[in-house]
Amino acid sequence: MDLLDDDTDTGNTPEFSVSELSGAVKRVIEGEFGFVRVKGEVGRVSRPRSGHIYLDLKDDRSVISGVVWKGVSARLETQPEEGMEVVATGRLTTFPGQSKYQIVIEDIRPAGLGALMAMLEKRKAQLAAEGLFDASRKQPLPYLPEIIGVVTSPSGAVIRDILHRLRDRFPRKVLIWPVAVQGKSCAPEVARAIEGFNALSPGGAMPRPDLLIVARGGGSVEDLWGFNEEIVARAAAASDIPLISAVGHETDTTLIDYVSDRRAPTPTAAAEIAVPVRMELLGWTGEAGARMTRAMGQRIELRGQRLRDLSRALPRAETLLDQPRQRLDLLGDRLPRGLIRGTEQRRVALSDAAGALRPSLLSRVIAHGRESLGRRTDRLSLRPIEREMRQGRERLATLTRRLDEAGTRRLETPRSSLDGLTRLLETLSYKGTLSRGYAVVRSGEGDILTRKAAAEKAGALDIEFADGRLSLGTPGAADAPATVPASENKPKPAAPRSKRKPAADKPEQGSLF
Amino acid sequence: MSDTPVEEMTFEQAMAELEQVVGQLERGEVPLEQSIALYERGAKLKARCETKLKEAEEKVAQITLDAEGQPAGLKAAEGL
């Protein structure tokens, strides 16, 4: 009942559809908050590819979602960053599909100087963490750049100061890249100018500078803010061309000063850093030339002096001979005197020797020899020799006598025996027989024939008588062949005959005795 | 001595070497014959330095930009 009663209690309250209610809310919110300024801290920021920026604005208790449409975000002077204290301007709108409301931001700026500085500190810390401020990244500046690129406003006093100082020191070629030096277009233009200079090719119609100066005169923190922007700092850090930053006065330090290769306190100072003083260099060059010439001259003078000294110390050729010549003269002088003295000395020696040489000396020697001879002569006698001769003679006589006796005795004995033998031989010899009427018959060949048969056979006979030999006949023709075999045997007996002959001769030999 | 021909040296290179040459000559470190060659080189370096110093010509030009902010050309910067 109660429930039913409750249901019926809502009877005269109009009923909305969800969309109708959402639409009503939207109308109220957009109508009521069509233009608001809200101060808060930027919370989570997301930047999808679409180019819109979604972010949260918050304070210690509440959060409102916000969006920066693409077209707006490009125009923003300050890009929202998490933690930044900002004042956002815009309108509220709802997003019925998700039961959400949000603020569409038309502009967003840092809330006061403190917020700006806090943002700068945060940026600085981030870039430092990336190492963009490292000293090792700093490039050395060229000693004498040929072309200097200046990024600044073409109409300010800054460029005039720079050119004036360059003219004083060392006129150079200067390329000015005009940029806005304040306002929201400052940072993008400066960044593009730095990148643009780096993109130029050396030696082209628009030649690439070998040194960059990014300069701006003094101003408020807000005026200089463009040089605190991250894109400027990153472009300066990425520059391959050495870069001098000269923004504001000496006390103003902007982010670009940390990443530049050299920070100049003022634009004029940048020009002084950029180029040396030409007149000084000319002076130095002249001085270097003079020093060189002086050093060279001194060296040559020194060497020349040394040479002169040495040549003075060098003796002349003829003086080299003086001393030997003098010595020769001296020795030449001494030579005849030496010869004379030598002769004299020898003469004295000779006369000394000659003085000692006297006949009496010789005669004394002779007398002595004679005396000695006399002594020997006295001892010389013939008697021993005569005695020896006498003894020899006696001995000879004895021996002669004995020889005679022996010889006679020796001859007598053989002679008597020889006579006996001779007689015996005569008796025994066939010759003796021959003389008694016998004869010896021999064949023609000389064989002794003792038989008649042998004698008949022999062709010829040889008969020896006491007083000679008689040969008989010659062998017949018929007998000749018969004698041949005999004759073959005969030569042998011939030898005995020849042997016998000496036996026959013996008496003749014996007669020789 | 560096390998770069004197004619192609930057002012700084030529100056550094000239300084060295002068020092060597003044200290008398090198034999006389070499010092003559050194002197000749020094004279060349000095000439190079002077040439670079005489090239001191002021020429200021301003880059003109097109609609996209890209460099389009040069124009003389006047009155600066």
Side-chain angles (χ1 to χ4, degrees):
Chain A
M1 258 326 261
D2 283 348
L3 284 172
L4 283 172
D5 285 348
D6 284 347
D7 281 343
T8 55
D9 279 348
T10 59
N12 59 349
T13 308
E15 183 180 285
F16 292 104
S17 71
V18 174
S19 290
E20 282 166 354
L21 183 55
S22 291
V25 169
K26 188 179 179 72
R27 277 191 299 278
V28 171
I29 288 180
E30 288 184 358
E32 194 67 25
F33 305 102
F35 181 83
V36 290
R37 283 166 61 91
V38 56
K39 185 179 173 187
E41 188 188 333
V42 178
R44 189 180 48 82
V45 179
S46 79
R47 297 164 181 269
R49 205 174 289 270
S50 61
H52 312 311
I53 303 170
Y54 299 97
L55 52 82
D56 289 340
L57 291 174
K58 60 180 184 181
D59 59 16
D60 50 348
R61 288 191 302 274
S62 311
V63 175
I64 297 177
S65 293
V67 63
V68 185
W69 301 122
K70 186 181 175 185
V72 176
S73 75
R75 288 204 314 266
L76 284 181
E77 213 170 296
T78 308
Q79 293 294 325
E81 286 170 37
E82 191 175 338
M84 192 189 277
E85 204 66 40
V86 293
V87 177
T89 312
R91 59 193 164 87
L92 282 184
T93 180
T94 62
F95 187 45
Q98 281 189 346
S99 181
K100 282 188 172 174
Y101 64 97
Q102 62 186 4
I103 177 169
V104 176
I105 298 167
E106 302 291 343
D107 188 22
I108 190 166
R109 6 179 118 242
L113 196 59
L116 269 181
M117 286 306 158
M119 186 177 76
L120 179 60
E121 284 309 311
K122 214 178 137 227
R123 226 177 253 171
K124 211 194 284 177
Q126 191 197 340
L127 295 183
E130 287 179 34
L132 294 188
F133 302 167
D134 287 358
S136 62
R137 285 183 54 95
K138 308 287 183 201
Q139 302 180 81
L141 305 183
Y143 185 82
L144 180 60
E146 297 286 333
I147 302 163
I148 301 168
V150 183
V151 178
T152 191
S153 160
S155 56
V158 168
I159 185 65
R160 223 168 279 139
D161 287 350
I162 290 175
L163 290 177
H164 185 251
R165 189 45 63 98
L166 283 180
R167 206 170 291 142
D168 283 352
R169 289 172 70 86
F170 206 129
R172 296 277 80 184
K173 290 177 188 145
V174 177
L175 277 182
I176 303 166
W177 191 300
V179 291
V181 290
Q182 68 186 65
K184 58 185 177 184
S185 60
C186 169
E189 281 185 22
V190 169
R192 187 154 43 192
I194 294 171
E195 285 156 10
F197 268 139
N198 274 282
L200 295 178
S201 53
M206 231 180 282
R208 186 180 193 248
D210 40 15
L211 180 69
L212 293 185
I213 298 175
V214 177
R216 194 214 185 279
S220 68
V221 173
E222 287 81 2
D223 288 344
L224 304 181
W225 195 254
F227 297 91
N228 280 324
E229 291 296 351
E230 194 176 335
I231 48 166
V232 171
R234 287 197 185 277
S239 175
D240 286 331
I241 303 171
L243 189 147
I244 302 173
S245 63
V247 177
H249 295 301
E250 191 163 1
T251 48
D252 304 320
T253 301
T254 51
L255 201 56
I256 192 173
D257 291 331
Y258 292 98
V259 291
S260 66
D261 295 304
R262 188 81 180 269
R263 186 216 168 196
T266 61
T268 302
E272 284 169 3
I273 292 168
V275 293
V277 179
R278 176 166 168 266
M279 292 315 288
E280 280 177 16
L281 289 179
L282 273 173
W284 180 86
T285 307
E287 176 60 19
R291 276 166 69 197
M292 201 166 69
T293 308
R294 197 159 53 236
M296 200 65 203
Q298 267 175 8
R299 261 173 94 74
I300 290 170
E301 173 56 29
L302 213 66
R303 294 300 165 102
Q305 187 57 48
R306 179 91 181 114
L307 180 64
R308 280 193 293 280
D309 289 352
L310 285 174
S311 60
R312 260 202 297 282
L314 189 73
R316 285 199 315 281
E318 55 266 33
T319 59
L320 278 176
L321 288 177
D322 280 354
Q323 223 177 4
R325 193 172 286 142
Q326 196 175 1
R327 256 185 92 203
L328 175 66
D329 287 349
L330 217 63
L331 289 173
D333 284 353
R334 282 168 58 188
L335 182 65
R337 272 189 282 135
L339 192 61
I340 289 164
R341 195 182 305 143
T343 311
E344 280 169 353
Q345 276 174 357
R346 277 167 186 75
R347 187 172 290 147
V348 168
L350 176 66
S351 62
D352 281 0
L357 191 68
R358 283 190 301 275
S360 64
L361 192 69
L362 191 61
S363 56
R364 193 162 62 229
V365 171
I366 294 170
H368 183 74
R370 193 169 284 153
E371 193 184 330
S372 158
L373 177 64
R375 274 202 304 275
R376 280 176 177 75
T377 312
D378 289 352
R379 294 216 308 259
L380 192 68
S381 160
L382 279 175
R383 268 176 306 181
I385 303 168
E386 282 167 353
R387 189 168 62 233
E388 268 179 42
M389 282 172 67
R390 198 166 51 243
Q391 280 173 353
R393 201 171 287 138
E394 280 170 16
R395 210 171 131 76
L396 177 63
T398 311
L399 287 171
T400 308
R401 194 174 57 251
R402 282 173 60 192
L403 179 66
D404 284 351
E405 284 168 6
T408 314
R409 216 170 27 245
R410 289 284 293 268
L411 280 171
E412 273 172 0
T413 318
R415 188 170 290 140
S416 65
S417 62
L418 177 65
D419 288 349
L421 287 169
T422 305
R423 268 191 306 280
L424 183 62
L425 182 65
E426 288 297 323
T427 330
L428 294 177
S429 168
Y430 71 93
K431 288 199 176 164
T433 311
L434 292 178
S435 62
R436 283 192 312 268
Y438 301 90
V440 178
V441 180
R442 290 185 179 90
S443 72
E445 287 80 29
D447 296 326
I448 290 170
L449 306 172
T450 55
R451 293 296 184 265
K452 182 179 154 267
E456 282 170 354
K457 269 170 74 184
L461 293 176
D462 182 56
I463 303 164
E464 184 185 6
F465 294 97
D467 55 345
R469 289 187 176 196
L470 175 67
S471 295
L472 291 176
T474 50
D479 293 344
T483 56
V484 175
S487 64
E488 284 180 338
N489 296 330
K490 289 313 185 273
K492 282 186 178 169
R497 195 198 64 166
S498 61
K499 270 188 179 171
R500 197 170 302 144
K501 244 187 174 168
D505 288 345
K506 240 174 190 176
E508 289 164 30
Q509 284 183 337
S511 69
L512 285 174
F513 266 103
Chain B
M1 289 183 191
S2 75
D3 296 332
T4 319
V6 173
E7 294 70 27
E8 292 171 23
M9 279 184 174
T10 65
F11 177 84
E12 195 181 5
Q13 284 174 317
M15 188 175 80
E17 197 177 325
L18 179 58
E19 179 77 65
Q20 267 183 24
V21 166
V22 172
Q24 275 181 315
L25 282 176
E26 282 180 342
R27 286 190 298 273
E29 282 169 347
V30 288
L32 193 62
E33 287 76 6
Q34 275 183 41
S35 70
I36 291 166
L38 205 60
Y39 180 84
E40 284 167 359
R41 181 148 181 102
K44 270 191 190 177
L45 292 165
K46 177 174 175 274
R48 175 64 181 167
C49 285
E50 281 170 344
T51 306
K52 295 303 283 180
L53 291 177
K54 279 183 192 133
E55 281 171 9
E57 157 198 32
E58 188 186 82
K59 207 185 218 177
V60 182
Q62 183 179 327
I63 291 173
T64 54
L65 303 172
D66 60 17
E68 280 86 43
Q70 296 302 315
L74 291 174
K75 67 171 187 186
E78 284 159 8
L80 294 174

